Amino acid sequence: MQITGSAISLNVQDVSASAEFVKQHFGFREEMSADGFVSLARDGVGFNLVFLRTGLASLQPPILKEQQAQGVLVAFVVDDIDAEYAQFQAAGVPITTPIQTEPWGERFFQVTDPNGVILQLVQWMHSPEQAG
């Protein structure tokens, strides 16, 4: 098998609201869009972030038409978590989970887009093997 690309597709009520949030605060750009669909990309991320409108007739299998992205966490690793946290605060983005460091070395914070999708920024302060 040769995989040539990857994407995370999330069903949301308001595609434009999620897309604008990710473009404004995470630096993604629109690569493709149509009614009820937008595909966003960012250099170096390794996947496209796709938002699909809940109820879209083309969603397969049909059960997806009724489902919405819930219990999903989209995480991005960054080089300077404290600088990113300060930037999100300065931009007035509501912080869902304030910055914290786990015993295994993961320093992170979370924000939530207008459709309830949780986005996490994380920096590894040390490898999990170095913990405790």
Side-chain angles (χ1 to χ4, degrees):
M1 173 187 334
Q2 180 180 0
I3 297 174
T4 60
S6 58
I8 296 174
S9 294
L10 302 171
N11 296 352
V12 297
Q13 289 291 323
D14 188 342
V15 169
S16 296
S18 286
E20 289 306 314
F21 185 85
V22 172
K23 289 187 322 190
Q24 180 180 0
H25 300 296
F26 289 83
F28 277 72
R29 69 183 178 285
E30 187 174 308
E31 211 171 61
M32 180 182 349
S33 65
D35 181 37
F37 159 85
V38 65
S39 178
L40 305 170
R42 180 184 163 125
D43 294 339
V45 170
F47 64 86
N48 281 27
L49 189 54
V50 176
F51 292 106
L52 301 168
R53 185 178 62 238
T54 304
L56 199 59
S58 62
L59 286 174
Q60 295 295 325
I63 193 167
L64 284 180
K65 292 178 189 176
E66 306 305 319
Q67 296 180 345
Q68 207 167 281
Q70 294 178 343
V72 174
L73 174 69
V74 181
F76 299 102
V77 178
V78 298
D79 291 331
D80 188 345
I81 192 73
D82 293 297
E84 298 296 341
Y85 189 68
Q87 188 172 354
F88 273 75
Q89 287 182 310
V93 178
I95 304 297
T96 303
T97 303
I99 198 163
Q100 53 192 273
T101 304
E102 298 289 0
W104 52 85
E106 178 185 34
R107 186 160 172 78
F108 73 96
F109 70 94
Q110 299 171 336
V111 297
T112 304
D113 89 347
N115 285 289
V117 175
I118 298 171
L119 300 145
Q120 176 174 297
L121 290 175
V122 61
Q123 179 180 3
W124 289 98
M125 307 310 288
H126 53 76
S127 69
E129 297 82 38
Q130 294 172 331

